[in-house]
Amino acid sequence: ATIVAELSGSVDSTQTFYSANNIMIVRLSADEAVDGNVQFTWNTVDELPGGGGDLAVTDTLGEFSSPLYPEEIAASEREEWILTADPGQIIKLSIDTLDLAPGCYVEIRDGDSFEAPVLAKLEYGQLIDTKYYFSSSNQMHVYFYSEEASTEHEGFEFSYIEGCDAEYDLQYGVMMSPGFRDGGNYPDAITCTWTVNAPAEYTNMSLVFDSFNLDETDSVTVNEGGTALGDFTGESLPDRIDFTTNSFTVIFTSSAIANKAGFKATYGPACVDPGFNSETTATPEDWSYLSSVDVSCDEGYFFAQESYQQVPSTPQSIQCGIFGWDVSRMPQCERVYCGQPTTTVDNSFVVSS
């Protein structure tokens, strides 16, 4: 059993506690006879505080959370929230805290029901690399599912507001046009400004587009320090954009003429210099975010590290990702040592080796 609360002394006001399932144990303990009394009342409830419901979205930030957040996750929860903004507005949902237990998940849908397209499904153990989700209309549906109760996990807390402007304060993240999903389009006549202010030490970030499909009347503009680094439209995937400071801005503008699928982009910092020795060849010598580098050895050299013993002469590929290079040990080439040569001709000897 998990301790929900411990009370001692005098309690000035009535306090209410909720179990995470259908069982609650109350234990009274005293070390000596004293004057006083304790009175409890109890009853069953169909819904826990903080359960689902209808939420009106305005230009003032609102919040909602899983029941019993942040103390625990209740068992057998099936909660849904329907967020509705004024017609013509869209909704920004912020993932403020997400700590799910095994068997739990949160579904975010671009509409007002379970029939609406899924924007995201967030589960236990999943890397959450984006902080924001944007609807393509004035409604969004959030569903929370849990199996067993857990006091080891907090649950979730989300915030919401109308519009699509956003600020990112981490050195990595994901940006998506509102409503980005398979088979969906972004809304008409919107302007979204996303500003990145990463920690000061990250002055070598890059922005990489994974998907890009805009109508010719719509655009994505990337700025750094007031300087435009690119203005993109159409269906061609833009090249990687490198920055020299820790701040940049992405502006997405759609017209009222037509719309398409939109775009998805990720940003992150460059990786540390691998420190290859002179016998190791890296192609290209590019340590930028999401860059892939082929590492090989010249003839007469091989990868000496234990993790490469099965493929000592096979070129290796490494990639710079969110958490740095995707290998635990960097491949380094060393000269092949064949051992002391043996004589194969009678009355011969080795001059040098």
Side-chain angles (χ1 to χ4, degrees):
T2 300
I3 296 177
V4 175
E6 288 188 67
L7 306 177
S8 181
S10 177
V11 177
D12 295 331
S13 59
T14 301
Q15 298 186 34
T16 303
F17 303 98
Y18 296 88
S19 67
N21 51 35
N22 64 332
I23 298 174
M24 179 179 282
I25 300 172
V26 179
R27 178 177 296 166
L28 175 64
S29 176
D31 53 10
E32 60 183 50
V34 295
D35 292 333
N37 65 83
V38 180
Q39 183 177 12
F40 300 99
T41 60
W42 63 271
N43 65 292
T44 60
V45 294
D46 294 327
E47 294 287 340
L48 292 173
D54 295 330
L55 301 174
V57 183
T58 66
D59 58 0
T60 300
L61 192 68
E63 296 179 342
F64 67 98
S65 59
S66 54
L68 305 184
Y69 171 87
E71 302 300 329
E72 58 187 305
I73 294 177
S76 303
E77 283 299 299
R78 311 290 188 269
E79 304 286 352
E80 61 177 309
W81 294 263
I82 299 175
L83 288 66
T84 304
D86 290 336
Q89 296 289 339
I90 61 175
I91 301 169
K92 177 180 74 174
L93 184 72
S94 304
I95 311 301
D96 299 323
T97 301
L98 186 70
D99 181 21
L100 301 180
C104 295
Y105 65 84
V106 176
E107 281 185 342
I108 303 170
R109 293 179 179 270
D110 191 18
D112 64 349
S113 69
F114 287 103
E115 285 68 44
V118 176
L119 290 174
K121 183 175 182 179
L122 312 178
E123 302 178 272
Y124 166 77
Q126 179 181 348
L127 173 64
I128 307 302
D129 54 5
T130 183
K131 180 177 174 60
Y132 304 107
Y133 290 95
F134 306 97
S135 67
S136 63
S137 69
N138 69 320
Q139 290 190 304
M140 183 178 281
H141 182 274
V142 178
Y143 176 66
F144 173 58
Y145 173 95
S146 73
E147 291 184 350
E148 298 180 358
S150 173
T151 58
E152 301 298 322
H153 301 273
E154 295 182 350
F156 71 84
E157 183 177 52
F158 297 162
S159 57
Y160 57 89
I161 194 169
E162 65 182 26
C164 56
D165 292 345
E167 295 186 358
Y168 299 77
D169 57 6
L170 295 178
Q171 67 272 22
Y172 60 85
V174 175
M175 298 178 180
M176 295 178 286
S177 53
F180 183 85
R181 63 183 189 276
D182 289 340
N185 290 345
Y186 51 79
D188 296 329
I190 61 168
T191 297
C192 305
T193 300
W194 299 308
T195 302
V196 175
N197 287 302
E201 62 268 26
Y202 293 99
T203 58
N204 54 358
M205 295 183 294
S206 298
L207 179 71
V208 180
F209 288 90
D210 305 317
S211 179
F212 196 88
N213 186 3
L214 303 187
D215 183 76
E216 295 291 345
T217 61
D218 307 324
S219 66
V220 170
T221 302
V222 182
N223 298 318
E224 182 182 22
T227 300
L229 301 183
D231 192 8
F232 310 102
T233 190
E235 300 181 3
S236 298
L237 199 66
D239 293 334
R240 185 188 74 207
I241 302 173
D242 299 325
F243 305 100
T244 58
T245 67
N246 65 319
S247 300
F248 64 91
T249 302
V250 177
I251 302 173
F252 170 58
T253 304
S254 71
S255 69
I257 298 175
N259 52 24
K260 290 191 175 182
F263 73 91
K264 178 181 179 181
T266 63
Y267 73 90
C271 288
V272 298
D273 189 326
F276 293 126
N277 58 30
S278 58
E279 288 77 30
T280 305
T281 301
T283 307
E285 293 187 0
D286 182 2
W287 322 142
S288 302
Y289 174 63
L290 290 188
S291 62
S292 293
V293 180
D294 292 326
V295 185
S296 60
C297 299
D298 295 336
E299 185 176 354
Y301 293 84
F302 73 117
F303 295 120
Q305 291 74 27
E306 182 177 352
S307 53
Y308 302 100
Q309 288 300 301
Q310 300 300 317
V311 287
S313 302
T314 303
Q316 302 295 311
S317 180
I318 61 175
Q319 185 176 47
C320 175
I322 289 178
F323 301 111
W325 294 109
D326 62 352
V327 292
S328 57
R329 292 198 64 185
M330 199 61 63
Q332 292 277 11
C333 299
E334 294 184 10
R335 187 186 298 273
V336 174
Y337 177 67
C338 298
Q340 184 67 28
T342 58
T343 58
T344 58
V345 180
D346 292 342
N347 301 318
S348 64
F349 61 93
V350 175
V351 176
S352 65
S353 64

